[in-house]
Amino acid sequence: MAGKTLYDKLWEQHVVKERDDGTALIYIDRQLLHEVTSPQAFEGLRIAGRKPWRLNANLATPDHNVSTDKAEREAGIDGIKDSVSRIQVKTLDENCDDFGITEFKMADKRQGIVHVVGPEQGATLPGMTVVCGDSHTATHGAFAALAHGIGTSEVEHVLATQCLIQRKMKNMLIRVDGELGKGVTGKDVVLHIIGIIGTAGGTGTAMEFGGSAIRSLSMEARMTMCNMAIEAGARVGLVAFDEKTAAYVKGRPYAPKADQWDMALAAWKDLVSDEDAVFDKVVEIRAEDIKPQVTWGTSPEMVTTVDGTVPTLDDAEDDVERSAFTRAYEYMGLKPGQKMTDIQLDRVFIGSCTNSRIEDLRAAADVAKGRKVAGTIKQAMVVPGSGLVKEQAEKEGLDQIFLEAGFEWREPGCSMCLAMNADKLGSGEHCASTSNRNFEGRQGYGGRTHLVSPAMAAAAAIAGHFVDVREF
Amino acid sequence: MKPFTVHTGIVAPMDRANVDTDMIIPKQFLKSIKRTGFGPNLFDELRYLDEGQPDADNSGRPLNPDFVLNKPRYQGASVLLARENFGCGSSREHAPWALEDYGFRAIIAPSFADIFFNNSFKNGLLPIILDEKIVDDLFKAVEANEGYQLTVDLEAQVIRTADGDEIPFDVDPFRKHCLLNGLDDIGLTLQDADVIRAYEEQRRQQAPWLFND
């Protein structure tokens, strides 16, 4: 009999009941909640007269539309200028208070982006099932946890039953072997993968990232990669458990302690795909082939290397792609064949659940140190992923490096990744962004997003246009 | 949830691949704490020539005449014909809420993004996967015939054209059952409350650190 994949193991451990039709009831160990996708779920519980099944399996924090402006934040909830945002943040507080769910409220220094907070608190643990009403829940798969985004109806379902009705996905392995070059980060690796397999390349699969290059990556970089599995169509991203996972988790507030730690560690060691496991789909990538990436278009698969050019219509595979390219040229204001380094930028955003952890900020600060943001850049902002990331960065003096270089140093939240708060692009503005989606209008009406790594974003801010961070 | 049995309606063609949920319902409208009222802002950035604001009156806004849903021939459409990877990106259930609120009951595409696909069934909106070639032919048929309609029969799992042609489709039996009967699946799951408790007990023995309540 063939061995099991990591996904197979996680799935089997969480099956509560198999049904005749091929679906299964899957137990959920952790649900993360935020203000945007939970209000209708709580309302549903109230209407049906239901109570949460297991309160402590839930952890909430507002992130999507909190202000990142210091003065506005200090004014508290009533100080949120946007009235609709204010209602949503208030509603989360009220729902959590009413039902008794632990919430890191806006003024709590543990508040932050759910996908930064979960791992940081040890609320995300290896071997868990983790869900959240947010597609970037895939992030938590970096801990060998089965994690994926769900819709609001499912948020309500998990609140009420601690379970989800699921059909098992297929197994996909992306193996990256070899040594990553200098200046090439987890972000570049995952963008490179999306460029190869496309935004639907992983649809219907749990996507495991393996190989020697992945083993060499830090937990932060692994989170960045799993975070963007959804951008390759896979709801689930996974990385096997190893000593780096254990080292990251140990000692965190929600992590097991004392005897339980040894017991957990013993169980977690099996959270790897067996040597003889069979995957439905395998993609092999040489780490040496990966260069710093920049997206040029309006889908994460429209990506090229920093030393590359905007593709021409001849590069498109079929009519559907040709029309997508044509639309993207127009929306992005770019010409086929144009060099990526010639794109002039208006704003720079360093943050989001993809790249706002301490390692990301260190990488950006390393580039920014002793330099100045170009005069042509209207705004360059750094938004830490949580209050604790912010505190750590300040302890290391990173905030001073950014401020001296001309970056803004903000309060934690999702910010310009999806522009639900005041942080947004103006129409036609080009932005170097460390976020995850370059969709039309994502960062603001008419805004033009280019996805890059934190170091590439910092370098672009200094130069005013994209530059190869390897030569910077 | 509204049950879905047989539905006949005008087909509107959305001829682009990778339509993401940001496009279906832009972020500023996610600030609502209700499930309804998203219809007027469906495809907001494509549909209107100005930038939409939440809680604003949309009736006087300038429409983009080139956008498919603004064309007279597609008024009242309730079946959306789309290209591959429809509904990719954000997990926002506001996307199916907006489509449903606008009046769509079924979406036909060669492929859907997983989360969107799942969310649709919870809201009485039927996503149907058909072969790329068949979808392509449907695009041609819609283009050629004004007022083109399709009948979607969920019980029989077929789509019928006005000419009487039948196109069969697959659907997950459990989802079909829920949709046909408009069932809330939380109630169904809670019928297994004892099984869930038994699982928890056994899991608590194996992995007590997951239950440090």
Side-chain angles (χ1 to χ4, degrees):
Chain A
M1 211 178 89
K4 291 173 184 168
T5 65
L6 170 56
Y7 172 64
D8 294 338
K9 293 179 185 180
L10 290 166
W11 171 269
E12 284 172 14
Q13 286 171 11
H14 290 89
V15 173
V16 171
K17 185 184 179 179
E18 308 239 27
R19 304 187 187 209
D20 299 340
D21 62 1
T23 60
L25 208 55
I26 293 293
Y27 192 77
I28 302 302
D29 296 311
R30 175 75 65 207
Q31 170 151 257
L32 301 168
L33 297 156
H34 63 83
E35 77 279 23
V36 178
T37 56
S38 69
Q40 298 87 349
F42 283 113
E43 183 199 47
L45 284 188
R46 276 198 193 92
I47 291 170
R50 291 173 175 139
K51 290 242 176 307
W53 179 277
R54 209 184 114 210
L55 282 175
N56 285 315
N58 300 285
L59 181 62
T61 192
D63 58 2
H64 278 62
N65 55 37
V66 297
S67 169
T68 62
D69 176 78
K70 196 161 195 282
E72 194 174 338
R73 276 293 272 274
E74 282 170 353
I77 289 195
D78 292 327
I80 299 177
K81 288 177 189 151
D82 180 331
S83 62
V84 206
S85 290
R86 189 168 60 237
I87 291 170
Q88 213 166 44
V89 175
K90 262 190 177 161
T91 304
L92 180 67
D93 283 5
E94 285 163 11
N95 283 328
C96 290
D97 291 347
D98 283 2
F99 285 99
I101 288 170
T102 304
E103 182 197 5
F104 298 153
K105 294 193 163 79
M106 213 173 69
D108 192 314
K109 74 174 177 187
R110 296 168 298 177
Q111 176 272 341
I113 307 173
V114 276
H115 309 310
V116 175
V117 169
E120 185 173 78
Q121 290 295 322
T124 300
L125 292 173
M128 269 185 168
T129 39
V130 181
V131 296
C132 175
D134 188 283
S135 63
H136 291 112
T137 309
T139 309
H140 308 263
F143 291 83
L146 176 54
H148 58 80
I150 54 178
T152 299
S153 296
E154 289 180 320
V155 171
E156 184 183 340
H157 194 282
V158 174
L159 279 169
T161 71
Q162 214 51 50
C163 291
L164 273 181
I165 301 159
Q166 296 282 289
R167 184 174 285 276
K168 202 175 171 206
M169 300 174 214
K170 288 197 172 349
N171 282 289
M172 182 166 185
L173 174 66
I174 311 272
R175 190 160 52 223
V176 190
D177 280 315
E179 222 171 292
L180 293 170
K182 178 179 159 259
V184 177
T185 67
K187 183 67 162 285
D188 302 297
V189 180
V190 73
L191 283 171
H192 177 84
I193 291 166
I194 297 165
I196 290 171
I197 67 172
T199 49
T203 302
T205 74
M207 182 182 281
E208 180 173 345
F209 300 105
S212 59
I214 306 299
R215 300 259 68 82
S216 75
L217 291 175
S218 67
M219 287 311 294
E220 283 90 344
R222 293 176 188 181
M223 282 188 254
T224 301
M225 291 196 60
C226 288
N227 173 278
M228 290 192 69
I230 186 67
E231 263 53 71
R235 273 201 299 163
V236 167
L238 282 169
V239 175
F241 178 84
D242 63 10
E243 68 289 345
K244 284 186 184 169
T245 328
Y248 185 98
V249 170
K250 195 168 187 183
R252 295 192 180 262
Y254 286 73
K257 312 254 167 358
D259 288 358
Q260 278 196 355
W261 173 260
D262 297 329
M263 194 180 174
L265 201 58
W268 293 344
K269 284 189 174 143
D270 189 44
L271 296 174
V272 296
S273 289
D274 295 334
E275 296 245 350
D276 56 344
V278 179
F279 287 84
D280 300 286
K281 212 168 167 185
V282 178
V283 176
E284 292 182 350
I285 285 166
R286 271 168 38 97
E288 291 77 7
D289 292 344
I290 308 173
K291 295 177 181 177
Q293 306 281 307
V294 184
T295 63
W296 63 269
T298 51
S299 163
E301 69 185 21
M302 294 175 171
V303 62
T304 184
T305 55
V306 65
D307 56 1
T309 54
V310 175
T312 66
L313 288 180
D314 294 338
D315 298 318
E317 274 175 24
D318 52 28
D319 282 347
V320 174
E321 188 163 78
R322 261 184 290 280
S323 76
F325 275 22
T326 306
R327 209 165 8 230
Y329 299 146
E330 195 194 329
Y331 182 85
M332 295 297 291
L334 297 175
K335 292 193 176 60
Q338 184 175 346
K339 282 168 82 175
M340 294 308 289
T341 48
D342 286 349
I343 298 171
Q344 297 300 312
L345 297 164
D346 302 288
R347 292 181 202 262
V348 174
F349 170 62
I350 297 174
S352 87
C353 59
T354 314
N355 282 127
S356 65
R357 299 180 182 84
I358 191 68
E359 178 186 280
D360 301 313
L361 304 190
R362 286 178 190 143
D366 206 35
V367 171
K369 193 168 188 176
R371 292 172 160 138
K372 292 278 180 218
V373 170
T376 49
I377 299 284
K378 293 177 196 163
Q379 181 185 37
M381 61 195 300
V382 184
V383 185
S386 71
L388 292 173
V389 168
K390 181 169 183 266
E391 186 180 69
Q392 177 63 29
E394 288 173 352
K395 212 179 276 175
E396 296 176 21
L398 306 185
D399 57 327
Q400 289 310 314
I401 294 174
F402 287 123
L403 288 166
E404 278 162 26
F407 287 86
E408 296 172 13
W409 179 245
R410 296 297 195 107
E411 299 299 308
C414 297
S415 181
M416 207 196 271
C417 173
L418 84 167
M420 275 190 75
N421 65 0
D423 310 336
K424 56 183 85 167
L425 299 182
S427 192
E429 289 180 345
H430 285 271
C431 177
S433 177
T434 67
S435 56
N436 40 56
R437 289 186 176 135
N438 50 348
F439 298 155
E440 287 181 21
R442 170 85 179 178
Q443 291 194 288
Y445 185 74
R448 294 163 169 170
T449 304
H450 301 276
L451 305 175
V452 288
S453 74
M456 283 284 290
I462 307 296
H465 56 86
F466 289 113
V467 282
D468 193 335
V469 73
R470 295 171 300 178
E471 294 156 11
F472 197 65
Chain B
M1 183 175 75
K2 220 192 271 182
F4 188 112
T5 49
V6 180
H7 175 79
T8 301
I10 293 176
V11 183
M14 185 76 188
D15 196 3
R16 60 198 283 175
N18 299 314
V19 169
D20 58 72
T21 53
D22 275 86
M23 204 182 287
I24 297 172
I25 183 82
K27 69 268 164 191
Q28 63 269 38
F29 307 108
L30 310 188
K31 292 177 185 177
S32 165
I33 55 171
K34 299 183 298 231
R35 277 174 198 258
T36 51
F38 295 100
N41 299 109
L42 174 71
F43 295 117
D44 199 274
E45 292 184 7
L46 301 172
R47 193 163 149 197
Y48 301 98
L49 293 169
D50 63 348
E51 186 179 354
Q53 299 301 335
D55 280 351
D57 177 18
N58 297 289
S59 57
R61 295 175 59 196
L63 294 171
N64 173 5
D66 297 329
F67 181 59
V68 57
L69 297 183
N70 290 335
K71 295 187 177 167
R73 61 183 288 189
Y74 300 120
Q75 291 315 298
S78 58
V79 177
L80 189 66
L81 184 63
R83 295 289 185 184
E84 61 164 25
N85 202 25
F86 186 87
C88 62
S90 157
S91 62
R92 58 189 71 163
E93 199 160 317
H94 313 66
W97 292 338
L99 286 158
E100 201 269 342
D101 197 58
Y102 180 88
F104 284 111
R105 298 300 323 273
I107 308 173
I108 301 168
S111 62
F112 292 89
D114 291 338
I115 301 177
F116 175 83
F117 188 72
N118 211 14
N119 285 341
S120 295
F121 282 101
K122 315 269 183 201
N123 294 284
L125 182 65
L126 176 63
I128 301 171
I129 301 172
L130 293 181
D131 210 64
E132 203 157 349
K133 172 79 177 66
I134 299 174
V135 171
D136 224 35
D137 290 344
L138 286 173
F139 267 99
K140 285 173 192 151
V142 172
E143 177 63 30
N145 303 287
E146 193 160 339
Y148 188 85
Q149 298 202 356
L150 287 173
T151 297
V152 179
D153 183 339
L154 178 58
E155 177 68 55
Q157 293 184 215
V158 289
I159 297 171
R160 292 189 195 91
T161 67
D163 299 335
D165 290 340
E166 294 203 339
I167 306 165
F169 62 89
D170 282 335
V171 59
D172 181 289
F174 178 68
R175 285 169 166 155
K176 177 179 172 179
H177 172 72
C178 289
L179 207 48
L180 279 172
N181 299 292
L183 292 178
D184 151 20
D185 53 22
I186 293 179
L188 292 173
T189 299
L190 285 174
Q191 289 174 3
D192 284 323
D194 291 345
V195 187
I196 301 171
R197 277 190 205 102
Y199 171 90
E200 275 181 329
E201 242 353 275
Q202 168 234 330
R203 186 80 177 143
R204 196 187 288 272
Q205 302 300 318
Q206 292 169 340
W209 62 88
L210 295 174
F211 295 86
N212 288 336
D213 291 358

